[in-house]
Amino acid sequence: MVPQQPGLLPWRTVLANARLLLDVNRAANPADAADTVALLHEVGLGEFMSAYPHELSGGMQQRVALVRALTLHAPLLVMDEPFAALDEITRSEMRGILNRLVEGRGVTVLFITHSISEAVALSDRVLVSSPRPSRVVADIAIDLPRPRPIDVEDEPRFVELCSRVRHALHRGMQ
């Protein structure tokens, strides 16, 4: 699970926070646990392994939380608006990192977001829900090729899919 707030422990370094799930219950660690150091390098935090959370930007903290969640090789990764507090540039960068990290790793991501473009950029399928009481009002297949290029948001098909999601959202609010 990767929540909105990274939930890093202030007294643990980046590496120690990324290894938290592995350290908590060592006896239950999967034999194929990910190499935390390699994952930190993959997300661009190789130089920050000895840093503490207060020394990191919000995007860097979210990358640590993402690495922490991926270390156990769980088949499902639930992400609850993890990029909501980030600026648009960092948010876009994080979408690219997430797409790269999960590509080919056999993990299904359930990603909750209020951003239409984020939903389309990250998903193979978007479920649109209505306001209270919440119910699924649309199930839209996202047929963009994988791996997703960094400039996927410039493609006409991307814009068309965003429009479909937006219209479904508006219909669901009526």
Side-chain angles (χ1 to χ4, degrees):
M1 166 88 181
V2 179
Q4 286 183 17
Q5 300 301 317
L8 303 181
L9 301 175
W11 58 89
R12 291 180 69 108
T13 63
V14 164
L15 180 58
N17 266 293
R19 288 193 46 83
L20 181 64
L21 299 177
L22 296 171
D23 292 344
V24 167
N25 189 357
R26 292 172 195 219
N29 287 345
D32 66 343
D35 179 352
T36 310
V37 171
L39 279 173
L40 286 169
H41 279 287
E42 198 170 339
V43 300
L45 293 176
E47 298 175 30
F48 296 91
M49 286 192 232
S50 298
Y52 289 89
H54 73 275
E55 299 173 302
L56 305 176
S57 69
M60 294 166 89
Q61 290 180 20
Q62 280 302 79
R63 284 186 261 170
V64 175
L66 180 58
V67 167
R68 181 181 57 208
L70 290 172
T71 58
L72 297 179
H73 281 295
L76 177 65
L77 176 61
V78 178
M79 303 183 77
D80 182 15
E81 297 189 74
F83 309 152
L86 303 177
D87 64 82
E88 190 55 38
I89 294 168
T90 305
R91 200 171 175 146
S92 178
E93 180 182 326
M94 289 300 297
R95 287 194 292 262
I97 288 170
L98 177 60
N99 270 330
R100 278 194 313 275
L101 282 177
V102 300
E103 194 73 37
R105 278 198 162 93
V107 61
T108 297
V109 179
L110 175 61
F111 194 96
I112 298 148
T113 182
H114 287 99
S115 168
I116 292 170
S117 61
E118 187 166 76
V120 173
L122 291 172
S123 303
D124 294 319
R125 178 180 176 196
V126 172
L127 299 177
V128 179
S129 64
S130 67
R132 288 177 221 131
S134 183
R135 67 190 184 331
V136 174
V137 296
D139 183 347
I140 301 169
I142 305 300
D143 57 358
L144 296 169
R146 289 214 178 260
R148 300 265 160 87
I150 194 75
D151 61 351
V152 69
E153 295 182 28
D154 297 332
E155 295 180 15
R157 182 66 180 147
F158 179 89
V159 174
E160 180 184 323
L161 288 164
C162 285
S163 179
R164 284 189 59 202
V165 172
R166 187 173 27 267
H167 285 87
L169 186 62
H170 290 304
R171 281 192 310 273
M173 295 172 74
Q174 297 173 353

